[in-house]
Amino acid sequence: MPLVVIAAGGIVLWEARGLGRLGRPGELGPGFWPTVWGVVCVAAGVVGVAEGVCGRAGRRAGPSEGVRGEEEVERVAWWRWMWATGVVAAYFFAVERIGFLWATVGGLMAFAALEEGLRRRWWVLGLFGLLGGLGMAWVFVRILGSPLPVGRGLWGELTGKVYRVLGIWGF
Amino acid sequence: MGGVNREGLSRARYLGVLAREVFGRGQRAIFLKPGSEQMSMWDNLGELVRAIAHLGLDPGRGALVVIGVMVGMAAGLLPGITFVMMVLLLLPFTYKLDLTSAVILLTAVYLGGIYGGTITAILFKIPGDPDSVPSLWDGYPLARREGAGYALALAALAGGVGTFCGGLMLAAVGPAVARVALRLSSPEFFGVVMLGLASVVALGGRSLWRTFAALSVGVLLGAVGVDEIYGVPRLTWGSTVLRDGIDFVVIMTGIYALGEVIERAARGFPKAVEHGGGVRVRTGDAVRALRECVRFGGTWLRAVLVGTGIGMVPAAGATVAAFVSYGVERLAGRRRHLLGSGVPEGLIAPNAAASATLGAALVPLLTLGIPGSAAAAVILAAFMLKGVQPGPGIFGQQPDAVYGILATVLIGAFVLVICGTAGAGLFAGLMRVPEGMILAAVMVNAFLGLYLLRYSWSDVVIGLLAGVVGYFMRVYRAPLGALMLGLILGPLAEKYFLTTMLSYGNDWSVFVRRPAAAALLGLAVLGFIGGLIRSRGGAEEGGEG
């Protein structure tokens, strides 16, 4: 992690170098602020690396600080992480293509299926996805009047039909 | 003075004059409405009474308070949802509301959320939020010994009284601070903002480099976009999307909501509590709690003082106040040796202090535009989305919204006591809802919050990336609050610093020559040193996220 912090600070310093000269009267410039905090960022990362190398954090804090991060990563089931992140990302990108309604129905079911107890009860999942998707669309489009994506092509037509059934007009 | 040519000097002078126009004379025009500076204590009291009467008589807004408190309480006790997250998730529901209704709803959720986690801490020994942890130490044994109804009634009373006292403090101190703030100039405002940034470091975790890294990343994210003073695009890498800057609501939604969703899902869901509900607070329990709590005057006073004091410090918030208040009770309480065995003082102290932070956290928000907590930052967002920048003149500019918040806190305290006692069993029953379903709903709400903010797909993508970053920040124990306050306070600090430099001809000594600015910056330096000492001493984790 400290290396990522150093890299982020370094990128900012590189980008800020052409923005304005630093510390000259009348010419603090737009690059002043990013340069100062870029230096703070790099310095923080360097201290992090130094702590890691010296093992100071590990000795002082025990496994609760320096090592716990790594342990936590190991304990996480990576398939679960991939599933959760994948469902969130897929849902966000699906809304634009297939519309809020259908993406929400699928997204709710796919995410809730991460829970083992719910995975076995597929009908609960289906009901949750369907009612959740319809309920959210009704509240936001009908009650709050927020225009949400309806989807492209066939998805848009399907959304329109459902919206008409629900009494949601002017979507 | 090397490198100063005539052209450069004249440009600096020109910018100095321009800055004085905009931030000197302009500030008066922007911040002051006729008569606002001269508002006396009686005028403020009159406005407050009017706001309370309006809120009480307006069924729509009254319903928003009740709904907000109940939603906040539900959020406080549900696994996977913190009250900060719920305030954030309710933001899209307020886009179509007027400013006053929007801030009333969000304040009510904040109010209920601080208390909500206590219910499960008392009943199941499961704190819903970090600020509820000290409540279980005495709340759970007290419930086992004296009955759950009595413990819940006592906790609700503590929450209600704490909230009410915090609200009174906001009503008393807020207008006075605003009057003082109207006389401050950019060097003093820079000092105030730096004090906020220093408190992040002082209250951060024991790993100082992590705090500084998160803080600097936040400040740098705040610097993305067209620079306010010079009008130059910065850190945009040629992207037109980034020219408008990154809205802090986008990063906040990603880090707090999506990061939490991914983290909890990746860790695996615990089994839902099977035995929720069925708990009733009888009238006898409530009367007994009311009668007994009068005995603990010292505890109340200490808790409210701790809560209001800590609430005003950015990055501290309800969690720190609850722990500190319990610690103070352990040191100064009459029956300190009994703490932990299930005594009422152990339940009153953390609950009253945590609830009292609400009013106090709104003081810097409303008077200086600096949020005192993460949830207050969302209320700041609600103001900004309606085109209003909180600051010293807001009491005169937006009296309906400001006094609406005050009235919400004061009325909400009573709503909290009623809902916390009469509805405790119902809320406890919510623990039976599977966490997978709750987090799936959070995911959808987070999307709505991101998309409906500006109807921009870029915000959605940036929010998603922030969610992944938020997950890794949790894994590597990086403080989320430091990043958020850096993102919110960073642009303010830059604006006030550069304005000072331009107004005073780049004379750095202005920060020492002006006594208030020097005092504030001195305190900020002490805060940074305190953070350093704290980290070297291996202190425990600090501020609320």
Side-chain angles (χ1 to χ4, degrees):
Chain A
M1 187 190 165
L3 294 176
V4 176
V5 174
I6 292 173
I11 291 168
V12 168
L13 287 175
W14 179 260
E15 180 71 11
R17 80 197 188 287
L19 284 172
R21 278 176 284 177
L22 178 71
R24 298 171 81 169
E27 291 185 26
L28 284 179
F32 173 75
W33 198 249
T35 305
V36 169
W37 286 94
V39 169
V40 173
C41 195
V42 170
V46 169
V47 173
V49 169
E51 276 193 7
V53 170
C54 300
R56 182 168 153 251
R59 278 201 309 275
R60 168 104 50 80
S64 62
E65 182 69 21
V67 187
R68 189 164 54 182
E70 276 67 37
E71 283 182 352
E72 198 80 30
V73 177
E74 282 166 22
R75 266 194 277 124
V76 165
W78 283 96
W79 69 269
R80 294 186 66 89
W81 183 84
M82 295 286 281
W83 184 336
T85 313
V87 168
V88 175
Y91 169 68
F92 277 29
F93 288 110
V95 172
E96 199 219 347
R97 293 183 179 277
I98 67 173
F100 174 78
L101 179 65
W102 306 114
T104 302
V105 171
L108 286 175
M109 288 198 300
F111 196 92
L114 268 163
E115 187 157 345
E116 204 182 337
L118 287 171
R119 236 180 358 250
R120 289 200 212 103
R121 290 180 292 167
W122 59 267
W123 57 273
V124 176
L125 271 184
L127 208 61
F128 170 64
L130 201 61
L131 292 179
L134 291 172
M136 288 279 197
W138 193 75
V139 168
F140 276 90
V141 184
R142 182 84 173 86
I143 305 289
L144 297 173
S146 306
L148 289 170
V150 290
R152 297 177 190 169
L154 180 67
W155 294 105
E157 288 171 26
L158 280 172
T159 303
K161 282 181 180 149
V162 175
Y163 277 10
R164 268 179 218 109
V165 171
L166 287 174
I168 303 171
W169 302 102
F171 54 92
Chain B
M1 299 293 280
V4 183
N5 52 32
R6 278 181 66 180
E7 194 188 347
L9 202 62
S10 67
R11 192 178 63 188
R13 275 198 187 139
Y14 167 72
L15 287 170
V17 171
L18 191 71
R20 262 183 234 117
E21 285 292 318
V22 172
F23 295 101
R25 197 184 307 162
Q27 184 167 321
R28 287 198 156 263
I30 294 164
F31 287 156
L32 279 179
K33 277 271 168 149
S36 66
E37 200 178 10
Q38 286 78 36
M39 271 178 85
S40 67
M41 194 181 77
W42 293 110
D43 293 332
N44 285 315
L45 194 63
E47 283 288 338
L48 183 59
V49 170
R50 193 180 61 85
I52 291 172
H54 268 222
L55 194 57
L57 296 173
D58 184 337
R61 285 184 179 163
L64 282 180
V65 176
V66 177
I67 292 168
V69 171
M70 290 174 75
V71 169
M73 283 173 68
L77 64 86
L78 282 173
I81 299 188
T82 61
F83 67 86
V84 177
M85 196 199 289
M86 185 48 98
V87 180
L88 197 57
L89 293 175
L90 273 194
L91 197 58
F93 289 88
T94 67
Y95 291 163
K96 299 280 173 181
L97 297 177
D98 62 281
L99 175 64
T100 308
S101 302
V103 293
I104 283 174
L105 178 65
L106 296 178
T107 308
V109 175
Y110 185 4
L111 190 155
I114 294 178
Y115 171 72
T118 305
I119 297 174
T120 48
I122 290 170
L123 294 179
F124 313 124
K125 219 177 174 181
I126 303 169
D129 267 330
D131 62 273
S132 309
V133 172
S135 298
L136 73 81
W137 294 333
D138 278 271
Y140 185 69
L142 186 68
R144 307 263 298 182
R145 203 180 58 234
E146 305 278 342
Y150 168 66
L152 285 169
L154 200 62
L157 268 173
V161 171
T163 306
F164 193 80
C165 291
L168 284 183
M169 195 266 199
L170 172 62
V173 173
V177 174
R179 268 197 295 276
V180 172
L182 274 168
R183 284 166 177 76
L184 302 181
S185 191
S186 51
E188 287 80 23
F189 276 111
F190 177 67
V192 171
V193 177
M194 287 309 288
L195 193 57
L197 289 175
S199 70
V200 174
V201 176
L203 293 164
R206 69 189 129 189
S207 176
L208 197 65
W209 77 266
R210 282 183 172 87
T211 306
F212 266 110
L215 187 67
S216 55
V217 169
V219 173
L220 290 169
L221 283 172
V224 171
V226 175
D227 164 53
E228 238 184 277
I229 304 282
Y230 298 93
V232 177
R234 297 183 306 189
L235 311 177
T236 58
W237 289 276
S239 160
T240 49
V241 168
L242 294 176
R243 279 179 71 96
D244 291 339
I246 300 174
D247 198 305
F248 76 84
V249 175
V250 172
I251 300 293
M252 210 169 173
T253 306
I255 285 191
Y256 278 97
L258 292 175
E260 182 78 16
V261 163
I262 295 171
E263 202 257 345
R264 292 187 82 98
R267 213 174 43 195
F269 304 119
K271 269 187 82 172
V273 173
E274 295 292 341
H275 51 277
V279 183
R280 275 185 60 202
V281 180
R282 292 180 179 81
T283 315
D285 292 325
V287 171
R288 188 179 151 214
L290 194 63
R291 206 174 47 225
E292 287 208 2
C293 71
V294 181
R295 285 169 39 208
F296 309 111
T299 305
W300 287 110
L301 187 66
R302 282 189 290 273
V304 168
L305 285 176
V306 166
T308 49
I310 289 178
M312 279 206 276
V313 181
T319 306
V320 175
F323 278 92
V324 171
S325 181
Y326 194 87
V328 168
E329 198 55 31
R330 196 177 268 282
L331 284 172
R334 196 160 39 88
R335 296 197 298 170
R336 53 184 174 270
H337 57 284
L338 292 176
L339 277 187
S341 63
V343 289
E345 296 98 307
L347 191 55
I348 291 169
N351 269 298
S355 299
T357 58
L358 165 69
L362 295 173
V363 173
L365 171 72
L366 295 177
T367 58
L368 303 168
I370 297 168
S373 67
V378 187
I379 297 175
L380 171 69
F383 271 107
M384 291 167 78
L385 285 168
K386 307 289 178 191
V388 177
Q389 174 69 52
I394 201 167
F395 281 82
Q397 274 183 339
Q398 297 286 341
D400 282 351
V402 174
Y403 289 98
I405 289 178
L406 279 167
T408 304
V409 176
L410 296 176
I411 292 180
F414 291 96
V415 177
L416 177 73
V417 175
I418 294 165
C419 291
T421 47
L426 181 77
F427 286 113
L430 289 175
M431 289 289 283
R432 283 181 288 196
V433 179
E435 197 175 327
M437 286 185 176
I438 296 166
L439 292 179
V442 170
M443 172 186 76
V444 175
N445 255 318
F447 165 80
L448 289 165
L450 292 169
Y451 178 73
L452 295 177
L453 190 66
R454 294 188 285 198
Y455 296 102
S456 160
W457 288 103
S458 313
D459 284 345
V460 174
V461 174
I462 293 170
L464 181 62
L465 291 174
V468 176
V469 171
Y471 166 75
F472 283 106
M473 283 183 75
R474 280 173 171 80
V475 168
Y476 289 102
R477 298 285 186 270
L480 306 179
L483 188 143
M484 281 320 305
L485 280 167
L487 178 57
I488 295 165
L489 299 183
L492 289 175
E494 182 187 15
K495 186 177 84 176
Y496 292 130
F497 176 74
L498 290 180
T499 306
T500 307
M501 288 288 100
L502 292 170
S503 301
Y504 293 88
N506 291 305
D507 179 8
W508 292 68
S509 69
V510 67
F511 294 114
V512 185
R513 279 190 286 110
R514 294 177 69 97
L520 288 163
L521 286 170
L523 283 173
V525 170
L526 283 178
F528 282 118
I529 294 170
L532 188 68
I533 294 169
R534 200 169 171 274
S535 76
R536 292 183 74 84
E540 281 306 313
E541 290 290 327
E544 171 196 349

